[in-house]
Amino acid sequence: MTTELPLQAVLFDMDGTLVDTEGLWWEAVEQVAGRPLTEADRPHVLGRPVEHTAAWLAASADRTASADALAAALHREFADRVRAEVVPRPGALALLTALARDGVPTALVTASPRAVADLVVDALGALGAPEFTVSVTADDTARTKPEPAPYLAACAALGVTPARCVAVEDTPTGVASAEAAGCAVLAVPSVTPIEAAPGRTVLDGLTDVTPERLREMAARRLTVMTWNLWLGGARVEDARAKQLAVIRASGADVVGLQETAGTAAQELAEALGWHHHRAGENLGVLSRHPITARLGDPDVGFYGAAGVRLRIADGHEADVWTAHLHYTPYGPYEADLDGLPAEELIAHESVRVAQMRDTLDRIAETAGEERPVVLVGDFNAPSHLDRPDVAWPVTRAAEDAGFHDSYRAAHPDPVRAPGLTWSPIHPVHPERGPHAGRPEPQDRIDYVLHNARGLRVLDSRTLVTGDPAPWPDVAANAWPSDHAAVVTTFAF
């Protein structure tokens, strides 16, 4: 079975992380400021680009020099000190050498300008450090730390996925930047304390850090996908091969399936070399991680839910459930095509609400109070977070039970990021009757929810590959479904 998750790259901050330059920078700022710095000055000095510190100095009441002039002076003072006094932090050279030996790409990601970064890189090279694969400086992105842009730029240049990378940082500002980009973080605080958190490891230094330990940190990610296979893929030619291509390209570690037509979960798992659970005729879970328990009713009908317990990494376990709720009456049709009032729409959700509550009860019976749980599926119901004019009760029931919507955590504004999953192939209403030929309501009815017990959302997105032709001319589509998938990456 395939369980290994590769460490794709290690991304290093520079000042205070690889080299002991925070003290040199502090001295340079004191020289330009013309006074000793205090604790109150720290937020404007450490972990900030030189332009920020220069602007802060320029705003001082007794300061007449322009921000540009002060930035030039800071550059000059700091560069002089780097040339004369740069010292690698303990363990830094050994770690860089070990990563190069193992063929792990490295990047330098710094809020310092290119001129200063080049000075430090040259100094490290003179001490025997291998070259970085890429470097990103304050000159290379429109926004720098704590924004995610520098780390995203480094990952793009390396051609790697942030969720499979470890960033090594020493300041809260740098940690915020790396985590916003979706990287695992090793924090080695140089001055300001940093707390541990999901997806974040805090150590005193780099002395005992090895590539193996960084691989473990990169593995502390869980990417979960929900996907309705549309009658097992029966409507599309060569559907199984297309399904495999989608799953491989998604980066998912776990896939909750609906409409499997009975055999899809097993066939896909065997082709992937993964573990799987088949429940009834409709539901399945694929996992690159070992399945230690199967949860719920194994003979569940076409609608319902089933789950698995996974052993992920470092002794961590998580439960992942997949659910498929009844499709009729369908709320978006009744709201958008029939114009029913809110109270009727809510009343017509009773079957799905009962199925959701049954699912939530089964989860509560098996998960305990601390275990992380991810609940995915085709709920066939809109979200109260997307359509606030109606208190849609299916998603409200999940929220009341402590589940959070991962897509809305990553994309809070439903206008800017609607996250539509129904339907990439139905621009017009596909059914006969009075609504035939009318525009099909496009809505978000597929979800990745979580209970937040040790899980943190790094990213969530909808997924459709290719440019699927609309119904009924779908046989040649590269996308073998009538739903978009949802893919969420968690740190734990």
Side-chain angles (χ1 to χ4, degrees), residues 246-285:
V246 169
I247 293 168
R248 289 185 174 118
S250 73
D253 306 311
V254 187
V255 185
L257 300 173
Q258 308 89 44
E259 295 196 28
T260 63
T263 62
Q266 180 176 347
E267 292 171 5
L268 290 168
E270 289 175 350
L272 291 164
W274 286 14
H275 309 268
H276 82 282
H277 173 47
R278 169 182 173 175
E281 61 182 301
N282 177 45
L283 297 173
V285 179

Side-chain angles (χ1 to χ4, degrees), residues 11-337:
L11 318 174
F12 289 92
D13 174 56
M14 184 179 75
D15 299 332
T17 301
L18 285 176
V19 290
D20 191 10
T21 56
E22 297 287 10
L24 302 181
W25 174 245
W26 191 267
E27 292 173 5
V29 177
E30 284 188 325
Q31 178 66 31
V32 174
R35 64 171 178 83
L37 299 177
T38 68
E39 283 295 317
D41 301 319
R42 190 178 302 278
H44 300 286
V45 176
L46 297 183
R48 294 288 190 173
V50 65
E51 290 77 14
H52 175 95
T53 303
W56 165 70
L57 287 174
S60 300
D62 58 348
R63 185 64 57 184
T64 58
S66 69
D68 288 345
L70 290 168
L74 289 169
H75 281 307
R76 184 172 58 254
E77 291 291 337
F78 183 59
D80 288 345
R81 286 167 171 77
V82 168
R83 291 189 187 96
E85 305 177 50
V86 68
V87 177
R89 291 199 72 183
L93 291 181
L95 178 57
L96 289 170
T97 300
L99 290 168
R101 180 198 63 221
D102 287 3
V104 179
T106 57
L108 187 71
V109 184
T110 176
S112 295
R114 172 67 60 183
V116 172
D118 287 347
L119 283 172
V120 173
V121 169
D122 289 345
L124 288 172
L127 295 171
E131 293 184 2
F132 293 97
T133 310
V134 301
S135 61
V136 176
T137 74
D139 299 336
D140 300 320
T141 57
R143 295 185 177 183
T144 189
K145 302 174 186 180
E147 298 295 324
Y151 280 101
L152 292 175
C155 290
L158 290 168
V160 297
T161 303
R164 299 296 180 219
C165 298
V166 175
V168 187
E169 276 283 356
D170 74 306
T171 66
T173 302
V175 167
S177 174
E179 290 184 342
C183 301
V185 170
L186 169 59
V188 285
S190 59
V191 179
T192 305
I194 299 172
E195 297 295 325
R200 182 194 310 166
T201 301
V202 182
L203 299 175
D204 291 336
L206 299 175
T207 303
D208 296 323
V209 179
T210 62
E212 290 72 23
R213 187 159 191 178
L214 295 176
R215 288 188 183 94
E216 292 174 0
M217 295 175 194
R220 295 189 64 175
R221 292 286 188 274
L222 185 68
T223 298
V224 182
M225 175 177 172
T226 185
W227 198 15
N228 184 312
L229 295 183
W230 193 19
L231 303 175
R235 304 292 191 188
V236 177
E237 298 167 351
D238 201 17
R240 199 68 81 233
K242 293 174 180 177
Q243 292 163 352
L244 286 167
V246 169
I247 293 168
R248 289 185 174 118
S250 73
D253 306 311
V254 187
V255 185
L257 300 173
Q258 308 89 44
E259 295 196 28
T260 63
T263 62
Q266 180 176 347
E267 292 171 5
L268 290 168
E270 289 175 350
L272 291 164
W274 286 14
H275 309 268
H276 82 282
H277 173 47
R278 169 182 173 175
E281 61 182 301
N282 177 45
L283 297 173
V285 179
L286 311 175
S287 173
R288 71 168 77 240
H289 299 291
I291 294 173
T292 61
R294 288 166 170 80
L295 311 171
D297 180 3
D299 298 319
V300 64
F302 192 83
Y303 296 108
V308 297
R309 181 158 296 155
L310 305 177
R311 185 175 68 248
I312 305 173
D314 299 334
H316 285 79
E317 289 186 324
D319 292 354
V320 177
W321 287 72
T322 180
H324 191 198
L325 308 186
H326 205 287
Y327 78 99
T328 187
Y330 185 54
Y333 290 170
E334 295 189 322
D336 297 350
L337 302 182

